[in-house]
PDB file of all heavy atoms in Angstrom:
ATOM      1  N   GLU A  30      93.989 -53.489 119.403  1.00  0.00           N
ATOM      2  CA  GLU A  30      92.665 -53.940 119.781  1.00  0.00           C
ATOM      3  C   GLU A  30      92.728 -55.048 120.798  1.00  0.00           C
ATOM      4  O   GLU A  30      91.948 -55.085 121.761  1.00  0.00           O
ATOM      5  CB  GLU A  30      91.946 -54.395 118.521  1.00  0.00           C
ATOM      6  CG  GLU A  30      90.484 -54.690 118.770  1.00  0.00           C
ATOM      7  CD  GLU A  30      89.730 -55.023 117.504  1.00  0.00           C
ATOM      8  OE1 GLU A  30      90.291 -54.944 116.407  1.00  0.00           O
ATOM      9  OE2 GLU A  30      88.534 -55.343 117.597  1.00  0.00           O
ATOM     10  N   GLN A  31      93.705 -55.957 120.638  1.00  0.00           N
ATOM     11  CA  GLN A  31      93.840 -57.014 121.641  1.00  0.00           C
ATOM     12  C   GLN A  31      94.192 -56.461 123.017  1.00  0.00           C
ATOM     13  O   GLN A  31      93.690 -56.920 124.051  1.00  0.00           O
ATOM     14  CB  GLN A  31      94.881 -58.071 121.177  1.00  0.00           C
ATOM     15  CG  GLN A  31      94.496 -58.832 119.984  1.00  0.00           C
ATOM     16  CD  GLN A  31      95.696 -59.706 119.442  1.00  0.00           C
ATOM     17  OE1 GLN A  31      96.824 -59.265 119.609  1.00  0.00           O
ATOM     18  NE2 GLN A  31      95.390 -60.837 118.859  1.00  0.00           N
ATOM     19  N   ILE A  32      95.088 -55.516 123.002  1.00  0.00           N
ATOM     20  CA  ILE A  32      95.509 -54.977 124.311  1.00  0.00           C
ATOM     21  C   ILE A  32      94.312 -54.241 124.987  1.00  0.00           C
ATOM     22  O   ILE A  32      94.093 -54.374 126.173  1.00  0.00           O
ATOM     23  CB  ILE A  32      96.700 -53.993 124.160  1.00  0.00           C
ATOM     24  CG1 ILE A  32      97.936 -54.818 123.675  1.00  0.00           C
ATOM     25  CG2 ILE A  32      96.964 -53.187 125.380  1.00  0.00           C
ATOM     26  CD1 ILE A  32      99.111 -53.996 123.240  1.00  0.00           C
ATOM     27  N   LEU A  33      93.570 -53.501 124.181  1.00  0.00           N
ATOM     28  CA  LEU A  33      92.392 -52.798 124.724  1.00  0.00           C
ATOM     29  C   LEU A  33      91.394 -53.806 125.263  1.00  0.00           C
ATOM     30  O   LEU A  33      90.791 -53.584 126.311  1.00  0.00           O
ATOM     31  CB  LEU A  33      91.750 -51.894 123.628  1.00  0.00           C
ATOM     32  CG  LEU A  33      92.481 -50.638 123.324  1.00  0.00           C
ATOM     33  CD1 LEU A  33      91.815 -49.969 122.122  1.00  0.00           C
ATOM     34  CD2 LEU A  33      92.581 -49.746 124.459  1.00  0.00           C
ATOM     35  N   LEU A  34      91.175 -54.929 124.538  1.00  0.00           N
ATOM     36  CA  LEU A  34      90.217 -55.919 125.006  1.00  0.00           C
ATOM     37  C   LEU A  34      90.642 -56.531 126.307  1.00  0.00           C
ATOM     38  O   LEU A  34      89.875 -56.850 127.246  1.00  0.00           O
ATOM     39  CB  LEU A  34      90.009 -56.996 123.953  1.00  0.00           C
ATOM     40  CG  LEU A  34      89.237 -56.593 122.726  1.00  0.00           C
ATOM     41  CD1 LEU A  34      89.208 -57.734 121.694  1.00  0.00           C
ATOM     42  CD2 LEU A  34      87.822 -56.160 123.079  1.00  0.00           C
ATOM     43  N   GLU A  35      91.977 -56.698 126.511  1.00  0.00           N
ATOM     44  CA  GLU A  35      92.482 -57.237 127.808  1.00  0.00           C
ATOM     45  C   GLU A  35      92.227 -56.249 128.911  1.00  0.00           C
ATOM     46  O   GLU A  35      92.100 -56.681 130.014  1.00  0.00           O
ATOM     47  CB  GLU A  35      94.012 -57.482 127.634  1.00  0.00           C
ATOM     48  CG  GLU A  35      94.391 -58.681 126.882  1.00  0.00           C
ATOM     49  CD  GLU A  35      94.061 -59.981 127.512  1.00  0.00           C
ATOM     50  OE1 GLU A  35      94.131 -60.062 128.752  1.00  0.00           O
ATOM     51  OE2 GLU A  35      93.661 -60.907 126.804  1.00  0.00           O
ATOM     52  N   LEU A  36      92.192 -54.990 128.578  1.00  0.00           N
ATOM     53  CA  LEU A  36      91.918 -53.938 129.583  1.00  0.00           C
ATOM     54  C   LEU A  36      90.391 -53.739 129.804  1.00  0.00           C
ATOM     55  O   LEU A  36      90.000 -52.912 130.570  1.00  0.00           O
ATOM     56  CB  LEU A  36      92.558 -52.655 129.182  1.00  0.00           C
ATOM     57  CG  LEU A  36      94.065 -52.617 129.140  1.00  0.00           C
ATOM     58  CD1 LEU A  36      94.609 -51.293 128.585  1.00  0.00           C
ATOM     59  CD2 LEU A  36      94.642 -52.864 130.509  1.00  0.00           C
ATOM     60  N   GLY A  37      89.594 -54.472 129.045  1.00  0.00           N
ATOM     61  CA  GLY A  37      88.140 -54.349 129.113  1.00  0.00           C
ATOM     62  C   GLY A  37      87.582 -53.151 128.381  1.00  0.00           C
ATOM     63  O   GLY A  37      86.490 -52.648 128.707  1.00  0.00           O
ATOM     64  N   MET A  38      88.275 -52.753 127.330  1.00  0.00           N
ATOM     65  CA  MET A  38      87.883 -51.583 126.521  1.00  0.00           C
ATOM     66  C   MET A  38      87.758 -51.980 125.068  1.00  0.00           C
ATOM     67  O   MET A  38      88.388 -52.990 124.678  1.00  0.00           O
ATOM     68  CB  MET A  38      88.818 -50.408 126.742  1.00  0.00           C
ATOM     69  CG  MET A  38      88.940 -49.912 128.151  1.00  0.00           C
ATOM     70  SD  MET A  38      90.104 -48.553 128.265  1.00  0.00           S
ATOM     71  CE  MET A  38      89.080 -47.259 127.652  1.00  0.00           C
ATOM     72  N   THR A  39      87.029 -51.172 124.354  1.00  0.00           N
ATOM     73  CA  THR A  39      87.016 -51.316 122.869  1.00  0.00           C
ATOM     74  C   THR A  39      87.536 -50.019 122.265  1.00  0.00           C
ATOM     75  O   THR A  39      87.531 -48.970 122.934  1.00  0.00           O
ATOM     76  CB  THR A  39      85.589 -51.586 122.365  1.00  0.00           C
ATOM     77  OG1 THR A  39      84.761 -50.459 122.651  1.00  0.00           O
ATOM     78  CG2 THR A  39      84.963 -52.844 123.001  1.00  0.00           C
TER      79      THR A  39
END
Side-chain angles (χ1 to χ4, degrees):
E30 189 173 357
Q31 290 172 331
I32 294 172
L33 287 174
L34 289 175
E35 287 290 325
L36 296 173
M38 301 179 76
T39 64

